[in-house]
Amino acid sequence: MLTEAMRKVTPQLVLLDAAAQPAGCTLPLFGLDAAALSARMAQAGEPAWRGRQLTEALYRQRLADLNEFTTLPKPLRQRLIAEGWQVGRPAVAQVFQSVDGTERYLIECGDAQTVETVWMPEGDDGDSGDEGDSANEAASSLAEGDSAHRRWKATLCVSSQIGCAVNCQFCLTAKLGLQRNLSAGEIAGQVVAVLARHAVEVGRDRVNLVFMGMGEPFLNYDSFMGAVRLLVTEVGLSPRRMTVSTSGIVPGIERFAAEPPEMRPRLALSLNAPNDSVREQLMPINRKWPIEAVLEAMRAVPMRPRERITFEYVLLAGVTDQPAHAREVARLARRSGLPVKVNLIAWNPGPGIDYTMPQPEAIESFRRTLIDEGIPAYLRKPRGRDIFAACGQLKRTVEG
Ligand code: SF4
């Protein structure tokens, strides 16, 4: 069921050629790092530095067809193709465009399963108050750019699983259940496919990644961190511009705490409730790992200077948006002992989910209460609601 607000706009559906992911691709190169590519080249009787050329073509030039790898001699390209090697990068199969500039993609993986990725030009203010956020940066980094090239300021929301098993009651993705985990290449491939689509210049344009799409990253930990390593080492993105959100998977947080700082994204907790009893109703995972157990694990994550942990908080009318809830969240944040900021998200409606959007006055009152209690609080801009691209709305929906 579409709400009346959704009916007022007509999102545009664009069909693209999805042939960049060939059927029967048995030997995908995308997803292998420089060391693995060099080892493969050495096994094929080629000098190891050919691996560096492959890395450059895959991750910096973002080429999607082995025939375009012109730094390799043609006979070598032909031999690799004959042996069954393909680029094998996930391909953008469909694009849904919102009236607000947001784009939601169905991205096709090798087995014809699709996953969702969202591009939000100018971001959603989710990084407000973080190290190097918009408030701390020069205005010259904004999207207007210079005369030669438009400079992007955008946020890219990336999926880590197809579907999700965590079953948060307010989330449309939960309706899918868990279909399967994504590989490191499929997670990083979403990013590279979208960077290629928008001709993003890494190091010049300002693109933040949030691992907040479909799935729970810490229930697919090795692939998630494998993707982060590829994106940092081979693609050249900074982990300080990446945020991973967890529903509170304690063993995952414990592993995350041991990652080297130069490879670790920022951490967010999808909190969504002021206490265990409300959270248990909204997020059944809370019965396994209650709030205090999650906070205890988070305290072991070494923070970088000026880094904060984000509490993501979905406001549901009458359920989590009351002034008493705000005061309780503030107490919880103080009790945690963590450098915390709170990102408020007005719940986005989805078909078959029986909650109500909060009123604007309730949202502002909640935010103001947190600030008055000394807790930095920001309101995430709702993006792409008309195309089911907003938080908690990703479900491979093809209706417009
Ligand atoms: S909110 Fe996140 S963790 Fe919860 S069901 Fe949805 S995708 Fe899974």
Side-chain angles (χ1 to χ4, degrees):
M1 276 278 293
L2 297 179
T3 66
E4 201 48 45
M6 290 171 181
R7 283 182 207 287
K8 285 184 186 150
V9 291
T10 311
Q12 184 187 354
L13 171 63
V14 184
L15 287 172
L16 294 182
D17 176 12
Q21 174 63 51
C25 172
T26 50
L27 297 170
L29 292 167
F30 197 94
L32 301 178
D33 63 12
L37 289 166
S38 296
R40 292 289 163 98
M41 286 291 95
Q43 281 168 6
E46 293 290 326
W49 48 262
R50 290 267 182 234
R52 180 42 67 186
Q53 291 178 318
L54 280 171
T55 309
E56 185 73 19
L58 286 167
Y59 301 112
R60 302 283 173 154
Q61 295 177 269
R62 306 168 193 146
L63 302 178
D65 183 342
L66 208 38
N67 288 303
E68 296 171 357
F69 286 31
T70 50
T71 49
L72 301 183
K74 195 171 179 188
L76 176 55
R77 276 181 268 153
Q78 289 173 333
R79 202 177 103 211
L80 289 171
I81 292 168
E83 288 171 359
W85 291 96
Q86 303 278 359
V87 169
R89 188 180 83 198
V92 175
Q94 288 188 16
V95 183
F96 300 84
Q97 292 176 322
S98 167
V99 290
D100 68 13
T102 299
E103 291 187 345
R104 175 169 67 92
Y105 312 105
L106 292 192
I107 294 196
E108 205 165 65
C109 300
D111 55 2
Q113 292 257 36
T114 54
V115 70
E116 302 214 349
T117 309
V118 180
W119 166 264
M120 292 167 278
E122 299 181 45
D124 62 355
D125 287 353
D127 61 338
S128 300
D130 289 327
E131 353 153 54
D133 73 355
S134 50
N136 298 327
E137 297 215 340
S140 61
S141 70
L142 302 184
E144 294 307 314
D146 54 34
S147 56
H149 173 70
R150 177 177 179 165
R151 294 180 72 171
W152 286 114
K153 172 182 181 273
T155 298
L156 184 55
C157 181
V158 183
S159 294
S160 55
Q161 297 178 306
I162 300 180
C164 186
V166 176
N167 200 22
C168 302
Q169 298 298 294
F170 49 81
C171 171
L172 203 51
T173 306
K175 301 271 181 200
L176 282 176
L178 177 64
Q179 307 286 308
R180 72 169 173 85
N181 281 333
L182 294 174
S183 68
E186 288 170 331
I187 298 170
Q190 296 167 60
V191 178
V192 174
V194 178
L195 295 184
R197 172 177 168 78
H198 293 287
V200 169
E201 290 185 36
V202 171
R204 190 163 187 269
D205 294 326
R206 186 183 158 213
V207 175
N208 293 314
L209 302 187
V210 293
F211 296 93
M212 300 183 188
M214 299 170 88
E216 163 57 63
F218 285 178
L219 291 179
N220 186 20
Y221 190 89
D222 290 327
S223 293
F224 158 68
M225 272 311 297
V228 168
R229 282 189 284 274
L230 275 176
L231 292 168
V232 172
T233 308
E234 315 304 357
V235 179
L237 299 172
S238 166
R240 290 170 187 247
R241 293 216 177 279
M242 302 178 191
T243 303
V244 59
S245 177
T246 179
S247 57
I249 309 296
V250 165
I253 299 169
E254 288 169 350
R255 289 184 69 184
F256 190 72
E259 297 291 347
E262 68 278 8
M263 206 55 72
R264 182 179 59 71
R266 298 190 302 236
L267 183 59
L269 170 65
S270 189
L271 178 65
N272 305 320
N275 55 52
D276 281 323
S277 70
V278 176
R279 198 166 189 263
E280 273 178 18
Q281 291 166 33
L282 299 176
M283 302 177 70
I285 196 83
N286 197 79
R287 290 183 205 125
K288 189 165 178 65
W289 291 297
I291 294 172
E292 187 46 44
V294 174
L295 296 177
E296 183 62 31
M298 287 183 140
R299 287 184 198 106
V301 178
M303 293 283 104
R304 291 181 285 253
R306 295 193 294 118
E307 185 178 4
R308 288 183 185 276
I309 283 181
T310 304
F311 286 175
E312 304 285 347
Y313 192 96
V314 173
L315 292 159
L316 302 166
V319 181
T320 61
D321 72 340
Q322 299 298 297
H325 296 147
R327 289 190 291 276
E328 215 174 341
V329 169
R331 281 198 297 277
L332 193 156
R334 281 195 296 272
R335 196 177 73 230
S336 75
L338 295 164
V340 165
K341 66 158 187 150
V342 178
N343 273 356
L344 299 171
I345 304 153
W347 178 71
N348 293 301
I353 304 186
D354 205 12
Y355 289 109
T356 308
M357 290 173 76
Q359 293 298 314
E361 310 78 60
I363 298 170
E364 183 48 28
S365 158
F366 201 101
R367 192 183 70 85
R368 177 51 51 199
T369 302
L370 286 174
I371 289 170
D372 290 348
E373 296 265 351
I375 306 298
Y378 304 88
L379 178 61
R380 286 253 297 269
K381 280 188 210 155
R383 302 299 307 264
R385 273 180 177 159
D386 53 322
I387 55 166
F388 292 95
C391 288
Q393 286 190 310
L394 301 185
K395 196 200 163 195
R396 297 195 296 187
T397 37
V398 292
E399 62 267 49

